[in-house]
Amino acid sequence: MPMLGLGTWQNDDPSECTESVKTALEMGYRHIDTAQAYGNEEAVGEGIEQADVDREDVFLATKVWIDQLNHDDVVESTKESMEKLGVDYLDLLYIHWPSGDYDPEETLGAFDELVEEGLIERIGVSNFTPDHLEEAIETAENPIFANQVEMHPLLPQEELREFAEENDVELVAYSPLARGDVMDVDVLNDVAEKHDASAVQVSLAWLREKGVTAIPKATSEEHIRDNWESLAVDLDEEDVQAIDDIDETDRKVNPDFAPDAW
């Protein structure tokens, strides 16, 4: 899984979404993330189709929404997502939240079947706590490949990172720029100045140093490129420690249906 991807949450203007996906892929991105709940799977699929990049070179992920998590709905809605995206397999399929119709045995049983049928290559979960993640690992017949959660320098997710590393689960960071708030953090701006970079690029580089894949949302070519150029930013131990020392817990995404002990 490429460690920098394009997130598409709230990218709900069809033409803009299609163009941003096409732009990102032709710039060099190879990881595209969407979800049933985003309402843009068709536009994402169109962007992949228009880009001068082979489908097999694109790591494509989508997510099953909380009202589609019983066995039959998982299977049916996933096939609908694939039709909208215009693909015959998904590189990664996530459970969007451990909420709503989520039942570990029923939901993950359907995901296992999709793997066996060759419709999805990997099982993912999203917004899972360590307890939810442990339960999923024990329940699924196939490995849990990734857990997608909010993570950024203002929400470092230390406990979850440690648990994921111990259990060979990849972490994928959504909202990796804290909804733009990273640009107002003095420590990040100081490190950015040192590297002739932006606070955005430093935040993405910090996630990469933690072994975490980031999927920042961007729609304009300028922002897509700015995020892409974070791959050239190499932080040293002093930089990483300075960012670790920010020591804040500023969660930006916290819906009513989020899990307890969140």
Side-chain angles (χ1 to χ4, degrees):
M1 178 173 60
M3 292 194 71
L4 180 66
L6 179 73
T8 62
W9 183 36
Q10 298 180 329
N11 192 350
D12 49 15
D13 178 272
S15 60
E16 185 175 60
C17 182
T18 293
E19 185 63 25
S20 62
V21 170
K22 178 177 181 289
T23 296
L25 289 173
E26 294 187 343
M27 191 176 294
Y29 286 74
R30 291 296 179 267
H31 180 176
I32 304 295
D33 182 272
T34 184
Q36 294 173 355
Y38 300 171
N40 62 11
E41 288 175 317
E42 290 181 343
V44 168
E46 184 65 25
I48 294 171
E49 174 65 24
Q50 290 184 16
D52 188 21
V53 177
D54 292 339
R55 163 66 185 101
E56 56 267 27
D57 292 332
V58 179
F59 189 97
L60 177 61
T62 192
K63 310 174 194 72
V64 180
W65 188 239
I66 63 175
D67 63 357
Q68 300 292 320
L69 291 175
N70 68 53
H71 177 279
D72 291 348
D73 287 342
V74 167
V75 174
E76 183 178 350
S77 70
T78 299
K79 291 179 179 178
E80 290 174 357
S81 289
M82 292 169 58
E83 184 175 351
K84 291 177 181 177
L85 288 161
V87 298
D88 54 14
Y89 73 95
L90 295 166
D91 296 272
L92 177 60
L93 182 68
Y94 292 100
I95 297 167
H96 206 149
W97 290 84
S99 307
D101 294 336
Y102 177 64
D103 174 84
E105 291 191 3
E106 183 171 352
T107 303
L108 288 163
F111 273 62
D112 280 324
E113 288 181 18
L114 291 169
V115 171
E116 298 308 316
E117 292 176 16
L119 298 180
I120 67 174
E121 294 196 341
R122 300 166 186 83
I123 294 174
V125 298
S126 185
N127 299 297
F128 274 41
T129 65
D131 286 345
H132 284 111
L133 186 53
E134 182 175 27
E135 182 180 44
I137 291 169
E138 293 174 351
T139 303
E141 293 181 4
N142 291 278
I144 303 299
F145 176 76
N147 185 16
Q148 184 178 131
V149 297
E150 180 184 349
M151 183 177 167
H152 43 73
L154 306 180
L155 185 67
Q157 297 280 18
E158 292 180 14
E159 180 185 3
L160 192 54
R161 279 193 284 121
E162 181 178 346
F163 184 87
E165 184 175 354
E166 290 173 352
N167 290 274
D168 198 27
V169 176
E170 300 284 342
L171 275 191
V172 178
Y174 70 74
S175 296
L177 308 176
R179 302 285 190 89
D181 283 357
V182 297
M183 292 183 283
D184 299 323
V185 179
D186 290 342
V187 170
L188 296 172
N189 282 301
D190 289 344
V191 174
E193 184 176 0
K194 172 182 170 181
H195 290 275
D196 192 24
S198 66
V200 163
Q201 293 169 341
V202 166
S203 298
L204 296 174
W206 175 81
L207 285 164
R208 192 171 68 250
E209 289 289 336
K210 299 296 183 182
V212 174
T213 295
I215 50 167
K217 174 209 167 185
T219 55
S220 71
E221 181 175 357
E222 178 185 2
H223 289 155
I224 292 169
R225 186 174 301 281
D226 190 49
N227 295 339
W228 179 249
E229 290 176 351
S230 71
L231 294 172
V233 178
D234 291 320
L235 304 181
D236 58 33
E237 291 183 12
E238 182 181 4
D239 300 327
V240 173
Q241 188 60 56
I243 297 169
D244 289 348
D245 289 344
I246 293 173
D247 194 27
E248 290 191 26
T249 303
D250 186 5
R251 187 181 295 280
K252 302 298 182 182
V253 180
N254 193 22
D256 293 340
F257 52 80
D260 294 336
W262 184 236

